[in-house]
Amino acid sequence: MTTFLSLVVSGAVSGGIYAIMASGLVLSYEASGIFNFAQGAVAFATAFLFFQLNTGQGWPIGWAALLSILVFAPVLGFLLDRILLRRLASAPVHARIVGTIGLLVALPNLVLFIAEQINLRGGDLPSSTGLGTVPGLGPVPSTTWTLMHGVVLNSDQIIIFVVAALSALGLWVLLRRTRLGLQMRADVDKRELAGLRGIDSGRVSAISWILTMLLAGLAGVMLGPFIGLDDITYTFVVLGCLAAVVFAGFRSLPFAFIGGLLLGIIQNLVAGYADNFLPSFIAGVSGLRTAVPFLLTLVGLFVLARRRGRAGGTASNEAPQPDHRDGLPKWRRWLPWIITVTALIVYVQFIADTFWSGLVLNGVVIGVVFLSFVVVTGIGGMVSLMQATFVTVGGFAAGWLVKHQYSSTTPVLMDNGHLNFFVAAILATLFAALIGALVAIPVRRLGTLAFALGTLSIAFIADLLFFQIDSIRNGSLGYLMNSPKLFGFEFTSNQSLTMMALVIFGIVTLVIHNLEVSATGRAVFAARSSDIAARTTGLSPDRAKVIVFAVSAGIAGLGGALYAVTNSPFTNTSAPAFVGLFWLAIVVTWGVRRPAGALLAGLTFSVGSAVFVKATDWNGVLKDIVGSSYFLPILFGLGAINLAKNPDGILALSAEQRADKKRKREAKKAAALAKSAAAAGTVPARVATGVRAATPGVATGAEALRLDDVRAGYGQIEVLHGIELTLGTHGALAVLGPNGAGKSTLCKAIAGQIMLSGGAVRVGDRDMSTAATHQRAQAGLLVIPESRGIFPGLTVEENLAIRLTEQSELEAAYAHFPILKERRKGAAGLLSGGEQQLLALAPALVRPPAVLIADEPTLGLSPKATEAVYETLEEVRGLGCAVLLVEERATHALNFADTVAVMSLGRITWAGTRDEVDSERLASAYLGGDIDLTEPPALEPTPPVVPLTPPDD
Amino acid sequence: MNVDTTSDPIGGGTATAVLTLEGIVVRFGGVTAVDGVSFSVAAGEVLGLIGPNGAGKTTLFDVISGVRFPSAGRVTLAGKDVTRTSPIRRARAGMRRTYQQVQTFGWLSVSDNVLAGLDWQGGGGGAIADLVAFPTRKRRERERRQRVDEVLELCGLTGVAGTPTAALPIGLARMVELARAIVDPPTLLLLDEPNSGLGEDEGRALAAQVQRIANETSCAMVLVEHDVDFIMSNCHRIVVLQTGSVLAEGTPAEIQGNAAVRNAYLGDS
Ligand SMILES: Nc1ncnc2c1ncn2[C@@H]1O[C@H](COP(=O)(O)OP(=O)(O)OP(=O)(O)O)[C@@H](O)[C@H]1O
Ligand SMILES: [Mg+2]
């Protein structure tokens, strides 16, 4: 009994730490949409500082804690938010994962690097990783109490417990009960819309990261006494608490807290009683206790996937990234390859000594491994954190096959009673692919993040349990491999091995290309955009994903076999799970969508790690810096952080610049051409075509919104060519025009979602031309974007509450739209299309802004609901709200607006009062018939303003 | 298409029914979105499905296409009970649909989007064909590309065949969805608000396609739309849903004259 109780109590304490960590992770995920893999890294950095201040500099615990937890960690959070995390929030999911993994790699190394550099320059920082030498927050030495049955509790443990409970409670209140919390969740749910509703994303994101990092720092300092100061251990603890996060469904703070506690207790009990109920060969494995959280994570993920699976029908649309190679001629795509490979071959064959050619060989081999990332992440869009596991599987399989003695003597297949290496490598590839398929079948339905966590858990379980078993790893010495032979030729030199590896790399690249343009490749890309549409088109995303994952596992396995033969002996530490994270960071840095990125990443990885070995021969500062073992991880960590946003990494940067240059060149050419044409008199000088649309009230009343010569577009392409309009305080203006006229772009330009390249936007009497979206919203401008202007992940009531802060306003909204009341506790994303549109309009109708801009407000509404909306708009107008409606079709808008403007090809081509509209003119204006619009826009002189005379009343 | 409602022999008769729904019920927790809906669609028939927002039209499409299984009731496709078969199997049996919120495959070009509609038939060599460019795979793909080109031409998409669909304006994107749905000639086509967000011209092009399919093939169609003119001029028969149940059923003329429908859905327009 006593054992049991002590196990539970001490388990609850480590559980308390898990609980704090888990709360921090849930907070970061809820409030910023990023799952912070670097939580442990921040915890470590803070604890390290605390240790240096307290033990090293002799500061009292209070001051040291104050500076490290309340100053250092939050400031770190603030800075990271500014330079990294905020940008990541809008990046694709895999980029978000990679970004914080980059941080996980870089930060601890940076801390240790700084300490090392200080000591190299005569500093005297104590280094301690020993248990019991690191202080916690409690008194040193800690006070101990003995409870019943002789269970002992100390002050450090009690502090942890109390802090865990308080922080979970506090965060829950923040997220669920405060406006700030609501804004945070809205911002994560749909960032563009949050801005339109006046939420300052920058502020919200900064606050959430400051809090997250503070929590991480706090947990870090409290952890010190229990685990010492080792960065890997810290990260392990954080990854361990994944189980609690998954238990909480990534969202629920109370469950994260309970889950954390349970996790600690279960882990302790397993460790304490494993001998009693597990077979000895498993119980004897040293990693068992550490593996428990990962096993639980895996179980949790499956339960979660089940629950999600039933909710089907919502598409997780992943926005595609443009490929800058599009439009390049074939030879231009091949040229870099040919040059690089030729240079490599020449270098290895004729120039390099054994040391360097060995590095190149290694780089190409690792490049083959990295090709597996191109398949799984580049094509499949899945983030696999277990590629290192497949490398080990491949290496072990090849080793096992080659080691065994067979009686057959078939010439090519066999070699001295052993299997030929190449045959073994093929079999190992197939075996790894099989394991990959077996893993993929259960995990294929997990979302991107869950998939990453699932594969990470499997990787650690494999490392901690399976690869510890002697019959699998061939003892601690691993597998010894001889040089491969083919048709009597023995690959012994680095030169011949490199050629072999290059050929294999080439074959794998071809296979990847075939896969990408195959039916399976298309199915995967289809499912990345819309899983459900893929299914109803008859495609099987599951099958496609399993194939892609298996292929990637096979490639990693092949890489493992090659690695085993070039780095014999191959052991269970040749490719540990952790290195998989580092690999991903490097590949992403170079570009995960292309084989070229894999090759370059492999070479950098291999050559880079050798540079600091070489650096020991150098002198001075360079030796200190480059020679530091921390240098390379920092470099690649930072690389991944910086480039995580771009799925094509460094390779894309150059391609992007090239594309940019080309665009500019073409623009210049066109301008020159036009000039000479004008000079030659072939193009007639044109009169202005821009028309100012103005509502009648303007002459007498105040202006609510005024646009002067507004020009805007996307990148280099100008879409709006000088829009002029004025909206009086009670005015109602309808902007009509066909698709592609630039109506939605106009809305974005007014809202501040795209910046103006010329002209001015005034709201009331304030110039808002350069103001941020949320500032314009706060100034009284409310833009309801085209279709689905709601936060799908928030409840209906929360959607309304963002604007409607008073209870009475909520009631008014429900009175207008009773259906919303019925659904108020449900997620807004589950509403029907029309209900969502009503929800988007409701806040504006109940609490009208000074200027309301609605882009196709009645899209998807039933005829009756459409009428109701227009009636309400009429009322709102009576209250002094100026309304600008954007519509595709004229029908309803014509009855409502007092002025109508027709847009075509980025200009207002006609404007007049409702009575002046005659359908024939409208139709021809739609088609741009009145005016000649055939000229290139770049030529256009600024159109002089042609104000409409207000009609006589 | 001449909708001759007086002498129209098709519609309703179970003998030629492509799709039959019997007593479909869908509950979401406490909400009953569809509450005992039954109707059938015959080959070559265009059925309009209208009703107020939240009436359960899209949910019904989800049930028919297999995206969601009903809490009760039976779905029969060409005489076979498919109530619990997966959407993939139903699509392969000839059922295709479009979505209220356009769902094209944004990573793929327009022609690859449409090609994806034929991909389920296999690449000519199973999973291995995905990795190796066998001649069989190449030949099959060539044949399919030909069919894709025909459909692109038909839908007026030839000019944008190579553009990634993520960059398309809504009108074209809806056309791509339609092309993807008809490239492998379906026996049942479900269109969820195909006309919404389209300009006048695009709407006309869409109507022309709907009529062409109805006239030239034996495909049964179900149309959900809020554009009353579009529905009235393109459907043989109309079913009106309200809060999950059938409020009325009849020819366009009957529906337009129905007071209950005017009251619940059409308003005074
Ligand atoms: N997954 C879900 N969970 C809860 N309620 C849902 C879910 N899906 C739909 N509903 C509800 O079921 C009802 C029917 O929705 P459905 O999308 O079928 O309506 P609809 O007829 O297509 O309406 P619209 O014309 O607005 O598109 C709605 O009230 C909606 O809120
Ligand atoms: Mg619908």
Side-chain angles (χ1 to χ4, degrees), chain A residues 405-417:
Chain A
Q405 194 88 35
Y406 303 89
S407 51
S408 155
T409 50
T410 324
V412 176
L413 289 183
M414 304 302 295
D415 162 23
N416 243 343

Side-chain angles (χ1 to χ4, degrees), chain A residues 105-117 630 633-634 638:
Chain A
V105 172
L107 189 59
N109 285 296
L110 189 64
V111 167
L112 294 170
F113 177 76
I114 293 172
E116 181 195 70
Q117 297 297 318
Y630 306 121
I634 296 176
L638 292 179

Side-chain angles (χ1 to χ4, degrees), chain A residues 520 522 530 536 538 739 864, chain B residues 92 99 103 106 119 130 202 263:
Chain A
T520 296
R522 278 192 294 275
S530 169
T536 52
N739 269 325
K864 208 170 154 187
Chain B
R92 292 177 181 183
Y99 289 83
Q103 312 244 320
D119 271 342
D130 294 326
E202 290 163 332
N263 190 25

